[in-house]
Structures are given as C-alpha cells and as structure tokens.
Amino acid sequence: MNELDPRAIIAREPMHFRQIVAIAIATALNALDGFDVLSISFAAPGIAKDWGIDRAALGLVLSMELIGMGIGALILGAMADRIGRRPTILSCLVIMASGMFLASTAQTVTLLSAFRLFTGLGIGGMLAATNAIVAECSNARRRNLAVAIMAGGYPMGAIVGGSIASLLLGATGRWQSVFEFGAVLTACFIPIVLWLVPETIAFLLHKRPVGALAKINRTMLRQGRAPLDALPPRDEAPQRLSFGQFFAPGIASVTLLLILAYFAHMMTFYFLVKWIPKIVVDMGFAPALAGGVLVWANVGGASGSIVLSLLTQKVGVRPLVIGAMICGAVVVAIFGQGFTTLASLSLIACIGGFFTNGATAGLYAVIAQSFPASLRAGGTGLVIGIGRAGAALGPIAAGLLFAGGASLSLVALLMGCGTLLGGIALSLVRYRENSIA
C-alpha cells in the first residue's frame, strides 16, 4: 500500500471528528445490540406468567435470537463484504426494528420464537458490519482502543436499556412494552446512520462500485483531506482459504481446543444473562426488580472487560482469561446456592458478570493470537461461528434441566462447569507469542 493511498493516510494521520462520530455511532449500535439480545430476558417472567409456559419452552424462546445471530453473522456479515457496510447496517436496523415490534404483538410461543429468530438475524449482521466500520474508520494508533470501546458498548446497552426496561415493566406491568421501546429506539438509528455514517473508504477501494472515486473524495473532503485525482491500483486478490487448512497437522489441535473453549464458555455466559430475571421472579420478586439484578450482572460485565483489558498491559492475556474462567465457574455455581435477598443476588450476579464477561472479552484476543497470521481472520470466524451454538444451547439446556425437576443449585453447578471446561481447554492450547507475526 503506497503512502498516497487514502487507507494509508487514514492509518497514519490523527483521527478527524467525523471518524470519531462514526465510531461512536458504531459503539451505540453495539449497545443497541446488547439491549435487543437481552430484551427477551427482561420480558421472560411476564411471558411465562401470561402464557403459562414451562421452563423448557421458555429456554427455547430465550435462545432463538442467539441462533438467529449465528445465521445473521454468516449471511448478513458476508453481505457487508459484497454490498457495503452502510447498506448492511441499514438493512439490519430495519430487520431488528421490525422483529422487535412483531415480538410485541406475538400471541403464541411459536410466533414469538419466530420473531426473535428474525430479530437475531439483524443483530448478527450488525455485529459483523460495525466491527468493520470501527476497524476501517480508525487510525493505526487508536484502532485497538476503538475496537475495545465498541465492545464495551454491548454491556452498556444492557445496563442503560435494562434500567429503562425495568422502569417500563414497573410502570406498565406489560412485558410487551420492552419490545415496543426496543422497536422505537432501533428505528431512531436509521436516520442517524443515513446522516452521519458514510460507506468506508476501505470498502470502496476494495469493491470499486460505480461512483467510487466521487464517494471517496466526498468523505476525504469532509475529513479535511485532499481529494484523489484517481483511484490507487487495486490490491492483489487474497488467496482463498480452504476449510481443511484449519485442521491440518500442527494447527488442528489449536482449532479444536479453541472451539471447545469458546463453545463451553458461551454456554455458561448465556445461561447466566438469560435466566437471571426468571430465576429471581420465581423467588417471589417483581419482574421490574428481577430486571435490576440482570442490570447489575451487566455492570459487572462492563467492569470485567475494562479491568481485564487494563491488566493485559502487565500480564499475558491467556493466563488472565483462564483465571477469569475458573473464577466465573465458581461464582456461577455459587449463584444457585441459597441467596434469597435482592442485595445478595445482585452482588453475586455482578461478580459473575465481572468474571464471565471479562473472560469473553479476553478470549477474542487469545483466539486471534493462537492462529498464524495467514489463518487468523478465518480461524477467528470459524471458532466464533461454531461457538455461537454454545450460546444458544446454554439457555435451552438450563430450561430442560429445570423442567426435569432439577433444583437451581444443581443447574447452576452444572452450567458453571461449562466455563470451567473452557478454561481447561484453553490451558491446553499451544500458545506462542510470535504467532502474532
């Protein structure tokens, strides 16, 4: 890449205000994802009460948008590489707003599950597109910080949105109000993205659609930079990776152990954040108060990701993640062992969120560092894509255990074993610092 290439200019020069705005909007969109994913958790106690559904069926409903996220990340995420980041984000916002509104009108478990699956498609695609936006709008010096800030938007959305959801539940007594609020909030982002988020220069240079030069120059001028006289030469086409490369001798064990670690950890993490409100309501507390416990779990989650990120400046990330996984397993198991007051439940949920979300944040870095550079992007996508099945399986498995008569103490103990297994698997991964190269 020559020094006159606009991507090189963006990489080396200080960030313009408009770049910061685009990253801030991407962070807000990630926060929106955080609320939309957990909206069903806040609504779950009211749904179970109104419809009289058992915990096995509720566990399936709680997992539907997680299944949709996995599909959406693959399908709509790939679409972002074909048609652009901006149109993909706009399409995902339409899907998410529609899905949230339709969920508020559902009258049966089947319809609600279908609408949550549909919403999940948009959330998964949004996650892929916003990641690309942030990476391509940041300069080289601030790129890692920008990505970390964007990742922090997810639990912040659950905290702020969850607090509002708890107020709505307390004021209206209707679980539908959670989805109605989510639909309106999501729709409000459509004009914001249209106004303030242009297509990325990196995408325009890669795909070169009709009018690419004019669009690039418009963005360059708005960022206070000189326009281009002509498009720079095309990059060489990247070599296509084959699926079998991830299971070749020397790398197969890394791939399989990372998949196991991510899959098992996601089971525990999403058991905790999906089932907290229903568990607390079953103890006799109002749904609005139960939503507050989940908010505290996300306060812990946001704190955990920040603290772990800071500690990585002094300590290797892999031992930190393994330690967080082991501690998370212990705290999740303790969560089911007889806590009966809101204060104690909120405290243990906060500590559980601290370790499990901290481990999740660090795990992405470990996954990237464990693959050689030639396989890093594809390997990370493979691990996370398959691992999302663990996210969907966690709430379903817990629902089946509850429906089968298992006590909360036993379910919490068993589900806590997931992240413990993940930590063990991660400790067995062959890890070399020079794999960053």
Side-chain angles (χ1 to χ4, degrees), residues 48 51-61 109 275 278 399-400 402-403:
W51 294 352
I53 61 176
D54 64 19
R55 288 179 165 189
L58 187 61
L60 184 61
V61 174
V109 173
W275 272 100
K278 182 66 171 75
L400 292 173
F402 282 131

Side-chain angles (χ1 to χ4, degrees), residues 24-25 28-29 32 90 93 184-194:
I25 293 172
L29 290 170
L32 180 67
L90 291 168
L93 284 170
V184 172
L185 183 63
T186 303
C188 287
F189 273 94
I190 294 175
I192 293 173
V193 172
L194 281 169

Side-chain angles (χ1 to χ4, degrees), residues 129-428:
T130 52
N131 273 333
I133 285 277
V134 170
E136 292 167 1
C137 286
S138 306
N139 63 16
R141 182 181 178 188
R142 302 296 185 191
R143 185 168 295 128
N144 288 338
L145 175 62
V147 172
I149 290 172
M150 189 207 70
Y154 193 87
M156 289 305 299
I159 293 167
V160 177
S163 299
I164 296 171
S166 295
L167 291 174
L168 287 171
L169 289 169
T172 68
R174 298 172 57 252
W175 58 264
Q176 291 91 343
S177 64
V178 176
F179 295 121
E180 291 163 354
F181 167 70
V184 172
L185 183 63
T186 303
C188 287
F189 273 94
I190 294 175
I192 293 173
V193 172
L194 281 169
W195 180 34
L196 294 172
V197 182
E199 184 55 77
T200 67
I201 289 174
F203 173 82
L204 292 170
L205 285 173
H206 176 65
K207 296 297 287 189
R208 306 197 178 214
V210 175
L213 180 60
K215 292 176 182 177
I216 290 170
N217 282 338
R218 192 179 305 124
T219 298
M220 295 288 282
L221 288 169
R222 286 175 176 174
Q223 293 178 2
R225 297 186 169 103
L228 306 179
D229 294 326
L231 294 176
R234 283 184 179 271
D235 294 332
E236 292 184 10
Q239 183 180 359
R240 296 190 65 177
L241 294 176
S242 67
F243 185 76
Q245 286 178 269
F246 301 108
F247 298 95
I251 199 68
S253 62
V254 172
T255 302
L256 292 171
L257 286 169
L258 288 174
I259 288 173
L260 175 59
Y262 190 78
F263 183 98
H265 176 66
M266 286 293 100
M267 284 188 65
T268 299
F269 178 74
Y270 276 102
F271 156 70
L272 187 68
V273 299
K274 288 289 190 177
W275 272 100
I276 279 177
K278 182 66 171 75
I279 289 170
V280 175
V281 165
D282 287 348
M283 293 178 178
F285 296 100
L289 297 176
V293 178
L294 181 56
V295 169
W296 276 107
N298 282 282
V299 170
S303 303
S305 61
I306 293 169
V307 170
L308 187 134
S309 296
L310 293 174
L311 287 175
T312 58
Q313 305 302 305
K314 301 291 184 181
V315 184
V317 66
R318 189 174 73 140
L320 284 172
V321 173
I322 293 171
M325 284 179 158
I326 294 171
C327 291
V330 172
V331 177
V332 170
I334 291 173
F335 178 78
Q337 307 306 314
F339 293 92
T340 56
T341 67
L342 273 179
S344 60
L345 288 166
S346 297
L347 177 62
I348 197 68
C350 183
I351 298 171
F354 179 92
F355 286 116
T356 56
N357 197 66
T360 302
L363 195 51
Y364 293 120
V366 174
I367 292 169
Q369 291 181 1
S370 298
F371 285 104
S374 60
L375 299 176
R376 188 165 295 135
T380 301
L382 176 67
V383 170
I384 293 174
I386 296 177
R388 284 197 179 99
L393 183 59
I396 294 173
L400 292 173
L401 287 169
F402 282 131
S407 65
L408 173 59
S409 60
L410 177 60
V411 173
L413 179 64
L414 291 174
M415 297 307 297
C417 288
T419 193
L420 178 62
L421 176 62
I424 294 170
L426 196 60
S427 69
L428 299 175

